[in-house]
Amino acid sequence: MPDARVARRLGQHGLRASRRLRYLYLSMALWRRRAPIWIAAILIGLVAAVFANGSHLSHELFYQIYDQSPFWALLITPAGLGLSVWLLRTFFEGAGGGGIPQTIIAMQPGMHALRARILTMRAAVGKMVLTLIGVSCGSTMGYEGPIVQVGAAIKYSLNREAALRHEGVARSFILAGAAAGVAAAFNTPLAGIVFAIEEMGRTFDQRASSTILLSVILAGITAIAVLGDYNYFGVVSVALDLRAGWMAIPVCGIIGGIIGGLTSRIILILAERLPGPLHGWRSHYPILFAIACGLLLALIGIASDGITFGTGYFRAKEIIEGGGSSMQEYGILKLVSLVITYISGAPGGMFAPSLAVGAGFGLNLSLLLPALPQAAMVLLGMVAFFSGMTRAPMTGFVIVMEMTSSSSTMIIPLMATALMAANVSRLMNRHALYDGQAELFLQQLRARNQAN
């Protein structure tokens, strides 16, 4: 009997030890699966911080040279765009475009070959380098669109094995990387999540929610640790009394929706085909065409005393904070610079520049309603133009609200203006900007595959 009791106890101890070992093994396996996800999110935050600092330093470097003599722009801007297009075609083929349309197409089923080309560390590095070259030469582009592709590439690359095994997992990684990139770039966690749902994932997979949330949190914390807690365009202490200022909503919503929708339509038309001989020139001599676009940007910049150069971040911030009384022409000139930069073929984003254009038009619209606070009109102009151009009203109002730490009284006006602008935009253009660009990119991809 004692021997049987001892054997029973030994068996129980062995069973407990087996369970503990099994639990430890499963825990370690879980950590091994989740570690790349966490590491990727932290890396995205670090990259966003480097991208942000690099963009600001590049912008300042250009203006330091410009202040020595404005005519330096006649050399720097064309050379920068030409160099960017040459590097793109020679070394970084997967880094072309603004980043968002390419990432949208990469999320579609069966795009394994495309993911292997544009969601790689090589493509991510190329995207960063080429975008910073574009910013440093004074062209109208930003890093906030490219960070979407960079974030998706980092997330997908570090979790490639899991992504290749399951299509839904691959999609969730791409979505999470894109959302983390936007959140870290703008210090806007809500906007990152809303962007992933509204713009990147029209049919949102609920299973991806935890991956997206975790990625946004870790990337955001990492970016804040490096850059500090900040508001992208500063803190705006402004309120809009709807009883006295309700007219601002239809004025900004309708006009911003019309201009934004027409801008989107023009960009999509020019992306498909330029008028006259320009199309053949861009197709056969892309580097020379980019240089010519750079020369045109330099001439516009010099003629406007330098206000159109760069992403538009500093000019928009100046307008929001109550300055810009001498920049009434800024909105239209920045819009022209945005279109020229886009058709040049140099990689770069339109996210921040479109907000800067909206700030310029908001400044113009404030003259129509001089009794209302200028800052309120500027914010409504920003959200109206952005929502009209991208037809993403949720992202528009959330990102402007978070980037400026707007007061609660501005939430309803921002929401209403964004919604109105997005609906008015539908009358101007059948396709939303990023969806239209994604469709054009897909057509080019199919044509390339058929040619091969």
Side-chain angles (χ1 to χ4, degrees):
M1 287 297 293
D3 291 340
R5 196 177 299 115
V6 170
R8 195 181 305 115
R9 288 178 180 174
L10 289 174
Q12 290 173 350
H13 285 304
L15 185 60
R16 290 194 194 101
S18 176
R19 288 174 179 172
R20 288 171 182 169
L21 288 173
R22 185 170 178 270
Y23 176 78
L24 180 61
Y25 173 78
L26 292 175
S27 298
M28 292 176 63
L30 185 62
W31 274 89
R32 283 196 301 270
R33 288 197 302 269
R34 290 184 176 177
I37 299 175
W38 298 341
I39 293 171
I42 294 171
L43 185 57
I44 291 170
L46 290 172
V47 167
V50 171
F51 222 167
N53 280 329
S55 178
H56 293 323
L57 289 174
S58 299
H59 185 274
E60 291 173 2
L61 176 62
F62 173 84
Y63 270 103
Q64 286 176 6
I65 300 173
Y66 178 84
D67 288 340
Q68 299 297 317
S69 172
F71 297 103
W72 275 113
L74 295 173
L75 173 64
I76 295 172
T77 308
L81 286 183
L83 175 63
S84 180
V85 172
W86 179 78
L87 289 173
L88 170 67
R89 300 175 68 87
T90 307
F91 299 107
F92 302 113
E93 187 181 7
I100 296 176
Q102 291 74 18
T103 309
I104 290 174
I105 293 300
M107 288 175 54
Q108 293 189 7
M111 289 294 171
H112 304 292
L114 178 63
R115 293 170 189 168
R117 184 162 64 90
I118 71 171
L119 298 183
T120 63
M121 288 300 186
R122 180 186 181 90
V125 170
K127 200 75 168 183
M128 293 180 65
V129 170
L130 299 181
T131 300
L132 291 178
I133 290 175
V135 174
S136 66
C137 74
S139 61
T140 298
M141 63 172 64
Y143 69 90
E144 297 82 4
I147 195 64
V148 169
Q149 181 180 347
V150 172
I154 292 173
K155 199 77 168 178
Y156 183 83
S157 297
L158 294 185
N159 297 275
R160 184 178 177 84
E161 292 185 7
L164 290 175
R165 288 196 297 268
H166 195 283
E167 180 64 30
V169 172
R171 177 185 171 85
S172 70
F173 288 151
I174 297 172
L175 268 175
V182 171
F186 287 113
N187 190 25
T188 52
L190 287 178
I193 295 169
V194 171
F195 175 78
I197 297 172
E198 183 179 42
E199 194 62 61
M200 292 297 301
R202 301 292 184 175
T203 54
F204 184 65
D205 188 351
Q206 295 294 334
R207 292 173 298 179
S209 59
S210 60
T211 304
I212 292 173
L213 284 172
L214 180 63
S215 300
V216 166
I217 291 168
L218 290 177
I221 289 173
T222 304
I224 289 173
V226 176
L227 300 174
D229 193 8
Y230 68 100
N231 294 102
Y232 192 84
F233 284 123
V235 178
V236 181
S237 299
V238 63
L240 185 64
D241 186 351
L242 288 179
R243 292 170 296 181
W246 66 270
M247 270 299 295
I249 295 174
V251 167
C252 293
I254 293 172
I255 296 177
I258 291 173
I259 299 174
L262 288 175
T263 300
S264 175
R265 183 169 184 172
I266 290 170
I267 286 175
L268 292 177
I269 290 173
L270 295 180
E272 190 169 10
R273 186 174 184 85
L274 290 177
L278 292 178
H279 182 74
W281 191 15
R282 182 172 66 177
S283 300
H284 296 100
Y285 308 103
I287 298 173
L288 288 176
F289 183 80
I291 291 173
C293 289
L295 182 60
L296 190 54
L297 288 174
L299 292 172
I300 294 172
I302 293 171
S304 63
D305 292 328
I307 64 173
T308 60
F309 288 121
T311 64
Y313 164 78
F314 293 103
R315 303 297 178 185
K317 187 174 183 180
E318 181 182 350
I319 293 172
I320 292 170
E321 292 175 348
S325 58
S326 62
M327 291 197 293
Q328 294 298 328
E329 73 281 7
Y330 178 73
I332 185 64
L333 291 178
K334 194 62 178 172
L335 176 57
V336 173
S337 298
L338 173 65
V339 174
I340 293 173
T341 299
Y342 175 75
I343 66 173
S344 72
M350 293 187 289
F351 219 115
S354 68
L355 292 170
V357 172
F361 285 126
L363 179 64
N364 299 141
L365 294 174
S366 67
L367 299 178
L368 299 178
L369 300 170
L372 299 180
Q374 177 183 303
M377 293 296 294
V378 170
L379 293 184
L380 294 181
M382 291 171 69
V383 76
F385 180 79
F386 179 86
S387 300
M389 192 173 81
T390 64
R391 213 177 295 166
M394 288 175 59
T395 302
F397 94 81
V398 171
I399 205 164
V400 170
M401 180 186 69
E402 284 193 290
M403 284 194 306
T404 57
S405 190
S406 303
S407 65
S408 59
T409 60
M410 286 298 300
I411 294 177
I412 297 299
L414 287 172
M415 290 175 63
T417 302
L419 182 61
M420 185 175 294
N423 282 286
V424 169
S425 173
R426 297 177 189 276
L427 303 176
M428 303 295 108
N429 189 29
R430 189 160 55 95
H431 298 287
L433 176 65
Y434 292 131
D435 284 346
Q437 288 180 320
E439 183 60 34
L440 287 174
F441 179 70
L442 185 59
Q443 291 174 9
Q444 295 169 359
L445 190 64
R446 289 170 177 167
R448 177 179 174 177
N449 292 336
Q450 289 175 359
N452 293 335

